Amino acid sequence: MNNSPIKSIILITFMILNLSAYAQSKADRILGIYSVVETESKEASKVKIYKTKAGTYAAKVIWLAVPNFPDGTPKKDFKNPDPAKRNTPGDQIILMWDFTYDEETDKWIGGEIYDPVHGKIYKCQLNFETPIRLKVRGYIGKPAFGKSMYWNKL
């Protein structure tokens, strides 16, 4: 009995599984905690990028260097366009959502980013410039008409 067809099927199956695992790990390299310095206010925070149950990527503030206003009251998401979210503590704000990984461009695309300083939501794309430096590009219309900030993976 010739096992050649069986060996070929096993080999092809193994290769397909390895390729999908490689693509998955490439997409998941974005997961982790990042140091962020807001460009206008110069305030530092830490943001966690995580994978949602739906399989998309999102980000949430998990730490603020200055969690309170000068009068001692805790910072909250006062400028959120959704009134139900305006009491969210500053260190629990969801900043980004609905990103998917595009293997062709090596970018995370299709998501949105929320700017809690101004209460605005923008389209966004993400890509690594180095293994630890993430370029976060918020924009209106096309990425060329936007602004970038850089997050450092911890």
Side-chain angles (χ1 to χ4, degrees):
M1 183 167 146
N2 185 353
N3 287 336
S4 184
I6 294 172
K7 286 181 181 177
S8 295
I9 291 170
I10 291 171
L11 180 63
I12 290 169
T13 303
F14 180 75
M15 288 172 48
I16 289 170
L17 291 173
N18 274 345
L19 283 174
S20 68
Y22 173 73
Q24 188 62 42
S25 67
K26 197 170 181 188
D28 284 351
R29 75 186 190 277
I30 199 166
L31 301 175
I33 298 174
Y34 293 79
S35 172
V36 178
V37 177
E38 204 282 321
T39 45
E40 273 184 43
S41 68
K42 305 294 184 216
E43 288 195 19
S45 62
K46 289 182 184 172
V47 173
K48 179 179 183 179
I49 296 181
Y50 59 95
K51 199 169 196 175
T52 67
K53 289 179 184 176
T56 61
Y57 298 89
K60 176 181 183 175
V61 178
I62 59 169
W63 176 84
L64 296 173
V66 182
N68 297 326
F69 290 109
D71 68 1
T73 58
K75 290 183 179 175
K76 294 194 178 181
D77 194 8
F78 296 121
K79 294 188 179 180
N80 198 303
D82 180 351
K85 295 180 180 176
R86 291 185 185 153
N87 281 323
T88 302
D91 62 355
Q92 296 177 25
I93 296 172
I94 303 294
L95 286 179
M96 299 189 310
W97 53 88
D98 289 339
F99 286 86
T100 57
Y101 179 68
D102 179 29
E103 193 171 352
E104 212 173 282
T105 62
D106 195 28
K107 293 181 180 181
W108 289 262
I109 60 171
E112 294 182 310
I113 188 166
Y114 169 59
D115 171 6
V117 173
H118 300 101
K120 304 284 185 188
I121 296 173
Y122 302 96
K123 293 180 182 178
C124 186
Q125 68 182 23
L126 314 165
N127 65 283
F128 281 104
E129 290 199 335
T130 72
I132 64 164
R133 184 174 159 99
L134 183 68
K135 180 179 179 181
V136 178
R137 180 101 178 142
Y139 60 93
I140 297 172
K142 302 237 180 240
F145 305 110
K147 182 172 133 182
S148 296
M149 61 186 306
Y150 298 89
W151 297 3
N152 292 311
K153 192 170 189 180
L154 300 176

